[in-house]
Amino acid sequence: MLVKKLLAAGAVAGSLLAAGLATAAPASAAPAYDCTSGQVCLYYNSAAYGYGAVYVQTGPVSDYAGKTFQAGRNGGSGAGVAVKNHAASVDSWVNSTFTVYYNSGYDCSVACQSFGSFATGDLNASVKNNNASGRW
């Protein structure tokens, strides 16, 4: 009798779990990889908008002036647009903290945002579309 109750309870729990998974909201997809080890990708759009065009950074950049987004694996929305003051998200492939700065020259006096090793995320309101430099 106890075995039948346990089996019945397990069946009910399994049905509820399956129903919950079927109705769960989809998670934001990670970007298709434009970067490899030792690089950081800045994206024109946030995760909610599919990332779009990419700028691949291979070292510290004290001023994004003159740098532009290129079409990548996540699409071409924003291709040709200046990176300076137009980035919305980051995909880090470096084994150290990567920081995006509001000002050129790595100046955090107004705002900056850091991402841990191998992190992916959207820029916060302080530096989204207000980015002038970045380094790790």
Side-chain angles (χ1 to χ4, degrees):
M1 185 67 117
L2 180 59
V3 173
K4 286 184 182 179
K5 285 184 181 180
L6 290 174
L7 288 175
V12 170
S15 296
L16 292 173
L17 178 62
L21 291 175
T23 60
S28 294
Y33 303 125
D34 286 300
C35 282
T36 60
S37 184
Q39 300 175 329
V40 173
C41 285
L42 296 178
Y43 287 99
Y44 178 75
N45 284 326
S46 61
Y49 293 96
Y51 297 102
V54 64
Y55 171 71
V56 178
Q57 186 169 329
T58 58
V61 178
S62 65
D63 190 346
Y64 288 127
K67 313 288 187 199
T68 57
F69 289 103
Q70 305 299 315
R73 291 188 173 104
N74 293 288
S77 176
V81 174
V83 173
K84 188 170 187 172
N85 297 325
H86 292 102
S89 57
V90 169
D91 183 21
S92 173
W93 285 68
V94 296
N95 191 20
S96 59
T97 300
F98 175 75
T99 304
V100 176
Y101 298 86
Y102 180 92
N103 288 320
S104 298
Y106 318 119
D107 179 0
C108 195
S109 63
V110 174
C112 58
Q113 181 179 356
S114 295
F115 293 85
S117 300
F118 304 102
T120 299
D122 291 341
L123 294 173
N124 63 37
S126 297
V127 291
K128 180 179 181 181
N129 297 324
N130 287 310
N131 58 293
S133 59
R135 73 172 169 188
W136 62 89

